[in-house]
């Protein structure tokens, strides 16, 4: 027989799904090149270290703003709700391009705050793009379903938001090579056109001089 929390979870899931809160039309696009990302998590967690290390490896120039938040227990709902609302309200003035809400794995009881109506509503109403990574791949919380993107781990959350500098460099080199090749082909075509015009001009001049000489001779 299913436990009380599991039944409550399924009831909430149906309620929010029927309300359309999981629909793609509500999902905001993630920034391609974020400059500053707020991380709502416990500052002493392994999750935040995973995000920091992944970001440093991929794009060290991206600034991370860690919002130390209780991610479990009685105060978690208030903490996470308030953190999302505060960050969203100040995102424009503080240059925050996206938010990551993340923590490590746990039981349904330990992750329950992320199914709470207030937390889910705060994420749904947030104007700043949110990536949620709560628990491990096998865990599912409702905040992840209303977030703009769901990541299976904290590391993946960072990978989704933070571009890889090595891939960007390769793309720039490839683009530069194509540009140079395109310019070289254009120069070759221009030279061919110029040569053809010179030939036509020379032929026209020769014909004019020939006609002029015939006129003088007559």
């Amino acid at each position: 027989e299913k436990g009380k929390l599991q039944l409550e979870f399924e009831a909430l899931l149906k309620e929010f799904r029927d309300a359309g809160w999981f629909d793609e039309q509500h999902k905001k696009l993630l920034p391609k090149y974020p400059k500053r990302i707020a991380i709502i998590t416990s500052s002493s967690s392994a999750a935040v270290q995973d995000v920091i290390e992944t970001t440093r490896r991929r794009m060290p120039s991206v600034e991370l703003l860690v919002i130390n938040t209780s991610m479990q227990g009685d105060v978690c709902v208030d903490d996470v709700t308030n953190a999302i609302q505060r960050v969203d309200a100040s995102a424009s003035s503080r240059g925050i391009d996206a938010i990551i809400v993340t923590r490590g794995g746990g039981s349904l009881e330990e992750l329950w705050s992320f199914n709470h109506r207030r937390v889910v509503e705060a994420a749904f109403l947030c104007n700043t793009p949110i990536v949620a990574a709560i628990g491990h791949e096998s865990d599912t919380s409702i905040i992840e379903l209303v977030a703009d993107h769901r990541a299976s781990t904290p590391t993946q959350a960072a990978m989704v938001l933070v571009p890889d500098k090595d891939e960007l460099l390769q793309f720039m080199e490839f683009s530069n090579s194509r540009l140079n090749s395109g310019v070289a082909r254009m120069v070759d075509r221009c030279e061919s056109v110029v040569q053809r015009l010179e030939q036509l001009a020379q032929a026209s001049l020769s014909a004019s001089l020939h006609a002029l000489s015939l006129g003088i001779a007559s």
Side-chain angles (χ1 to χ4, degrees), residues 52-206:
I52 290 171
E53 289 171 11
T54 303
T55 301
R56 283 177 178 166
R57 184 176 69 251
R58 291 175 68 84
M59 186 69 71
S61 61
V62 174
E63 186 178 350
L64 299 177
L65 182 63
V66 179
I67 312 299
N68 185 32
T69 313
S70 173
M71 302 301 279
Q72 186 175 320
D74 296 337
V75 299
C76 180
V77 170
D78 285 342
D79 266 15
V80 174
T81 299
N82 293 336
I84 292 173
Q85 293 172 341
R86 286 200 321 272
V87 170
D88 188 40
S90 63
S92 179
S93 62
R94 302 178 75 178
I96 296 170
D97 301 304
I99 299 170
I100 294 176
V101 182
T102 189
R103 62 151 285 162
S107 65
L108 181 59
E109 290 80 6
E110 290 170 331
L111 303 178
W112 186 252
S113 297
F114 300 95
N115 302 317
H116 194 282
R117 190 180 305 277
R118 288 184 59 211
V119 171
V120 172
E121 185 175 23
F124 180 73
L125 296 177
C126 185
N127 293 311
T128 309
I130 290 185
V131 175
I134 308 298
H136 298 308
E137 290 186 34
S138 58
D139 302 317
T140 301
S141 59
I142 296 177
I143 189 178
E144 294 174 289
L145 302 178
V146 300
D148 300 301
H149 187 90
R150 177 191 181 189
S152 58
T153 63
T155 296
Q156 191 191 57
M159 291 178 69
V160 163
L161 274 175
V162 181
D164 189 326
K165 65 181 188 303
D166 294 331
E167 290 181 3
L168 285 176
L169 285 172
Q170 290 176 5
F171 176 74
M172 289 172 65
E173 289 172 359
F174 173 72
S175 299
N176 188 52
S177 175
R178 287 192 63 183
L179 178 62
N180 289 337
S181 298
V183 170
R185 286 194 299 270
M186 187 177 295
V187 168
D188 288 342
R189 285 198 294 268
C190 288
E191 287 179 345
S192 298
V193 170
V194 170
Q195 289 174 359
R196 178 61 179 157
L197 290 174
E198 287 178 344
Q199 291 169 356
L200 290 172
Q202 185 64 42
S204 177
L205 179 61
S206 297

Side-chain angles (χ1 to χ4, degrees), residues 23-41:
D23 294 352
E24 283 299 316
Q25 65 183 9
H26 297 302
K27 307 293 184 185
K28 293 178 288 297
L29 292 176
L30 302 182
K32 282 190 174 182
Y33 305 107
K35 295 179 180 179
R36 177 180 284 184
I37 299 170
I39 313 169
I40 296 176
T41 192

Side-chain angles (χ1 to χ4, degrees), residues 204-217:
S204 177
L205 179 61
S206 297
S208 297
L209 290 174
H210 181 65
L212 181 62
S213 66
L214 288 176
I216 294 173

